Amino acid sequence: MRLERLKNNGIPALKLNPLQQKMKVQVSEKVKKEVYQFEEVDCSICNSSEKILIGGKDRYGLYFPVNACRDCGLVYTSPRMTQAAYEEFYNTEYRKLYSGVETATEVFFENQKKKGKHIFNFFKGHELLKNDTKYILEVGCGAGGIIDYFRDQGFEVKGIDLGKEYVNYGKEKHGLNLETATLADLSNERKPDIIIYSHILEHILDVNKEIELIKQFIKKNTLVYIEVPGIKEIHKNYEANILRYLQNAHTFHFTLDSLINLMNKHGFELVEGNQFVKSIFKFTGVVKGAVNDFSSVINYIDQTEKRRIFHPFTPNAIKRNTKNIILNLLDKSGTRGFARQLKEKIKGR
Ligand SMILES: [Zn+2]
């Protein structure tokens, strides 16, 4: 194992609330009793079985073997839960484990809406919103916060998701055009100008099938927006701790490079992209072989692991820690509420 501290010992990297704790125990029990079964898989990009094991658990302390493909650098989970296991997991534990709350909330919706603004700005910043960009389809839209932002900007929108509860929330509370469906369920539909996959692709088991399916639902100029948590951004977004990045719902852990490899395999070409990963692809039909990302990604993981010890002393971490210390002192002295009111008053002026 590349990172010994990621051995499967059950210890989480996050503080879990009681609901998360309960869900974690429930998942562990199902794994132990083989209610949740696992399957060994090869690399989804280059089909190679040559890989090195990076770690054995996720942020919640659940069994989670993560590997890097030696022949193309794709980082992926194997053995991973089977389709049947994942289906039950998404219906019972996933949302509660991930968010720590029972049901869809307005806070969740508003966060998604902010994400919608970021995506809109990404397109706008690269001058990719044309006069004939009218119709946006989002796959895996949850309650629809992302497309709600696009609707506010005057676009026609539609969202599909398998989570009934979230779909109903967006339909009833926000009057959004949402449907409980997958892309495969749509037929003879109007083809979108933009199709959005935000934090979806890293969950899908058969990504090759999904990308082939996208081809049937796009027209010549459709832009495909794909956002996934980039493994090369760990030093920015996860306190430089790979363990905080890893979660058992993810079957793939992309870099921009491995995502390009995957899309190139299906004839898509990168239009814009970064290591966040925010990316836009279009279909050209030109199929390209994978460029090996293995040494680059392993080098990044090793370097980040070394830098992790210094992370508490980086400017952002110092700022966050100082803020927490001050807030704790205010709490202890019982003046935090007063300090907040004062802050609001100053802001109001
Ligand atoms: Zn590979």
Side-chain angles (χ1 to χ4, degrees):
M1 192 178 297
R2 192 85 181 177
L3 306 178
E4 267 306 312
R5 73 176 178 95
L6 267 65
K7 63 177 184 280
N8 181 25
N9 57 7
I11 300 169
L14 304 178
K15 234 185 215 170
L16 306 180
N17 75 17
L19 180 64
Q20 288 174 308
Q21 192 59 42
K22 192 177 149 197
M23 289 303 116
K24 181 195 163 181
V25 171
Q26 199 168 305
V27 174
S28 304
E29 285 297 309
K30 286 182 182 175
V31 171
K32 219 181 275 168
K33 290 178 183 154
E34 292 180 27
V35 176
Y36 285 166
Q37 296 195 341
F38 286 74
E39 60 186 0
E40 182 94 39
V41 290
D42 292 337
C43 175
S44 288
I45 293 177
C46 72
N47 301 322
S48 168
S49 57
E50 290 298 311
K51 55 188 185 283
I52 67 160
L53 184 64
I54 293 171
K57 67 170 177 180
D58 79 345
R59 60 162 84 153
Y60 309 111
L62 290 164
Y63 170 59
F64 194 57
V66 170
N67 316 269
C69 170
R70 279 189 184 277
D71 292 318
C72 79
L74 175 68
V75 181
Y76 65 101
T77 311
S78 178
R80 67 184 187 193
M81 286 205 282
T82 60
Q83 182 80 42
Y86 265 120
E87 270 166 30
E88 186 179 327
F89 171 68
Y90 282 117
N91 280 326
T92 48
E93 295 105 3
Y94 171 63
R95 292 278 183 190
K96 293 172 192 171
L97 181 65
Y98 181 73
S99 67
V101 291
E102 290 279 353
T103 52
T105 63
E106 205 47 30
V107 176
F108 173 79
F109 189 86
E110 285 305 320
N111 280 337
Q112 288 299 103
K113 197 159 176 175
K114 272 183 209 153
K115 202 162 242 177
K117 187 179 176 181
H118 288 303
I119 297 172
F120 174 82
N121 286 339
F122 189 70
F123 274 93
K124 209 176 158 195
H126 293 294
E127 295 175 5
L128 289 168
L129 294 173
K130 310 282 184 220
N131 286 337
D132 57 355
T133 309
K134 292 195 167 75
Y135 177 48
I136 320 275
L137 172 68
E138 186 184 2
V139 179
C141 63
I146 289 176
I147 50 172
D148 191 35
Y149 186 84
F150 277 87
R151 183 175 66 173
D152 288 354
Q153 308 306 312
F155 295 94
E156 291 168 64
V157 298
K158 180 179 176 131
I160 53 173
D161 197 286
L162 283 177
K164 218 173 186 168
E165 189 198 328
Y166 279 72
V167 164
N168 286 340
Y169 185 92
K171 273 163 85 170
E172 285 158 20
K173 287 235 174 183
H174 296 273
L176 280 160
N177 178 18
L178 307 184
E179 209 179 292
T180 314
T182 66
L183 200 53
D185 300 325
L186 303 181
S187 58
N188 295 325
E189 290 256 339
R190 179 178 164 196
K191 296 191 165 161
D193 301 302
I194 291 174
I195 183 163
I196 295 177
Y197 277 75
S198 175
H199 293 260
I200 296 301
L201 222 56
E202 72 274 23
H203 295 261
I204 291 177
L205 299 193
D206 196 341
V207 272
N208 290 301
K209 195 171 148 199
E210 186 74 18
I211 295 161
E212 280 302 306
L213 200 59
I214 293 175
K215 288 186 198 171
Q216 296 171 30
F217 290 90
I218 54 174
K219 52 188 182 184
K220 197 170 163 256
N221 293 321
T222 299
L223 295 175
V224 183
Y225 177 84
I226 299 176
E227 185 173 319
V228 289
I231 197 167
K232 282 187 176 170
E233 289 272 298
I234 290 169
H235 66 293
K236 290 187 189 165
N237 298 314
Y238 301 89
E239 298 181 12
N241 184 355
I242 189 171
L243 196 50
R244 293 180 81 96
Y245 166 88
L246 298 171
Q247 54 158 306
N248 75 326
H250 293 172
T251 53
F252 300 103
H253 319 279
F254 290 105
T255 60
L256 176 63
D257 313 79
S258 60
L259 184 62
I260 292 172
N261 280 341
L262 175 67
M263 295 304 280
N264 283 350
K265 181 182 171 184
H266 296 277
F268 286 85
E269 186 180 281
L270 182 76
V271 179
E272 289 294 343
N274 57 35
Q275 289 289 1
F276 181 81
V277 172
K278 282 182 162 79
S279 64
I280 299 169
F281 290 87
K282 68 173 182 204
F283 183 70
T284 58
V286 181
V287 174
K288 289 185 210 157
V291 178
N292 198 343
D293 190 33
F294 178 76
S295 32
S296 162
V297 75
I298 287 296
N299 192 30
Y300 173 82
I301 290 170
D302 287 348
Q303 291 305 317
T304 308
E305 195 62 11
K306 275 183 203 153
R307 267 189 253 135
R308 194 173 67 89
I309 3 172
F310 300 109
H311 184 76
F313 309 108
T314 59
N316 272 344
I318 289 170
K319 210 167 135 190
R320 191 174 49 243
N321 290 339
T322 313
K323 192 179 145 200
N324 285 340
I325 290 168
I326 292 171
L327 286 176
N328 282 340
L329 281 174
L330 287 172
D331 269 347
K332 274 187 188 142
S333 64
T335 52
R336 185 170 175 174
F338 172 73
R340 270 209 186 127
Q341 281 171 11
L342 199 66
K343 205 172 143 196
E344 288 306 309
K345 263 189 190 161
I346 295 166
K347 254 197 210 160
R349 273 179 198 163

